[in-house]
Amino acid sequence: MNRLLTILLLFVVIFFSACEKEDASLAPAVKMLVTDPAINGKVNEGIVFMAINMSNNTYQQEWKLDDVLQSDSAAYKFTPLKPGVYKVDYTAVNDGGVFNYSYSVNVGIPTVPVTSTSKAYTDILFSFLPASSTEMGKLESLEAARSLEGKKGFVSMSGSGGYIVLGFDHTVINETDKNDLIIFTKKRKGYAMPEKVWVMQDENGNRKPDDTWYELKNIPAGESDKGLYLDIANAADADGNKVSLGGIDFIKIESGVSAHPGHKITSVIGIQGIADLNLLK
């Protein structure tokens, strides 16, 4: 009897050992929580990926973002910090085989939609350098610069390198074949037009002008006291190449120095307001 029990126990041990080896040799059976391989994401918004083990077999696993290892667990949270197209790859592997799954994550540039409370005029002053000289009048003060927040006002800038940076409370959309912005300027003796105008998209979605500036070319002057009309389609990068912007959130206006034979004349510009033509009534 003891011999029979020993033989039976040995059979059971051999049987289960064979089953364990068989299970270990099975390729990973995985189900992805996110099944769509093409995903649209947003800047600063997390996307949670999860791989679910559909069997009892074990395997090693990893997540890679653009071929760089990010996680070796079943879950991975990806939070894009800037726009772009990202590749997210999952791999599970054991002696029985390999399971792969890939995602393409398209993250667009953030935009702030127009609402019933959106202002046509620039809403917030970020920085102001009125002049290269140490003497500033009342019209070249920080208070004067803030007069352009949310409405028309007046600020003067003079000197090489003088500038003002303002932002809108919404994204100014680049409309097809039309001007999108207007800079109301002071038209009187002694005042000149802005030397350069730059625009910026809020690419990282933090509502601060800390992304890339693009210069607007071919700026047409308006009738009489109207000012300068701006078409976002005329944006160019630092090398002068035309860029396609869906919209902008910030604007920078510069004064400058006009060179003449034998001497230079410092220009003085007067700005009464900057507005989104789509909202201007």
Side-chain angles (χ1 to χ4, degrees):
M1 176 65 79
N2 289 336
R3 184 179 180 184
L4 181 61
L5 288 174
T6 300
I7 294 173
L8 182 60
L9 180 60
L10 181 60
F11 174 78
V12 170
V13 170
I14 293 173
F15 175 78
F16 280 104
S17 296
C19 290
E20 288 179 0
K21 290 181 180 178
E22 184 179 350
D23 286 344
S25 66
L26 292 176
V30 181
K31 180 180 179 180
M32 308 307 292
L33 183 64
V34 179
T35 58
D36 192 344
I39 300 172
N40 291 321
K42 294 182 178 180
V43 172
N44 297 325
E45 288 192 11
I47 304 170
V48 177
F49 298 95
M50 177 74 73
I52 303 170
N53 189 342
M54 302 302 290
S55 64
N56 292 324
N57 58 336
T58 60
Y59 47 79
Q60 294 179 325
Q61 55 192 339
E62 65 180 23
W63 292 93
K64 288 184 176 181
L65 174 65
D66 292 336
D67 298 323
V68 178
L69 182 64
Q70 303 292 323
S71 172
D72 59 1
S73 65
Y76 168 53
K77 183 178 180 180
F78 170 46
T79 303
L81 301 180
K82 61 181 181 179
V85 178
Y86 300 87
K87 184 178 69 167
V88 176
D89 296 310
Y90 171 81
T91 301
V93 60
N94 61 12
D95 293 338
V98 179
F99 174 87
N100 292 308
Y101 206 89
S102 295
Y103 298 94
S104 177
V105 183
N106 184 12
V107 181
I109 295 174
T111 59
V112 179
V114 172
T115 67
S116 59
T117 60
S118 296
K119 300 180 180 68
Y121 290 86
T122 49
D123 182 60
I124 182 171
L125 173 72
F126 286 99
S127 56
F128 176 54
L129 179 65
S132 59
S133 65
T134 57
E135 296 181 5
M136 292 189 299
K138 184 177 180 181
L139 298 179
E140 295 178 334
S141 65
L142 184 61
E143 181 182 359
R146 292 198 182 281
S147 72
L148 303 184
E149 293 183 323
K151 62 186 188 308
K152 270 190 174 183
F154 186 78
V155 65
S156 175
M157 292 190 300
S158 63
S160 177
Y163 65 86
I164 187 170
V165 177
L166 297 133
F168 290 88
D169 63 3
H170 63 282
T171 300
V172 180
I173 301 301
N174 181 9
E175 299 287 350
T176 304
D177 298 327
K178 62 177 292 189
N179 293 316
D180 309 293
L181 296 158
I182 185 170
I183 301 175
F184 294 102
T185 57
K186 188 76 170 180
K187 289 289 190 70
R188 76 179 192 190
K189 186 177 181 180
Y191 282 94
M193 289 292 183
E195 294 289 327
K196 290 185 178 181
V197 178
W198 308 77
V199 292
M200 179 186 290
Q201 301 175 111
D202 187 16
E203 294 182 21
N204 58 21
N206 66 357
R207 303 308 297 160
K208 297 179 181 179
D210 55 4
D211 294 295
T212 304
W213 285 112
Y214 299 99
E215 185 178 357
L216 293 184
K217 305 289 188 178
N218 305 318
I219 302 173
E223 301 174 2
S224 62
D225 291 338
K226 280 287 186 179
L228 297 179
Y229 288 98
L230 309 173
D231 187 350
I232 298 173
N234 291 326
D237 62 19
D239 296 322
N241 300 313
K242 188 175 181 179
V243 296
S244 178
L245 305 179
I248 64 97
D249 300 271
F250 312 105
I251 185 168
K252 177 168 70 172
I253 302 169
E254 289 187 5
S255 61
V257 175
S258 301
H260 291 266
H263 66 283
K264 294 181 178 180
I265 297 177
T266 301
S267 62
V268 179
I269 63 174
I271 302 171
Q272 294 178 312
I274 305 102
D276 178 352
L277 284 171
N278 299 308
L279 298 186
L280 200 60
K281 297 179 180 180

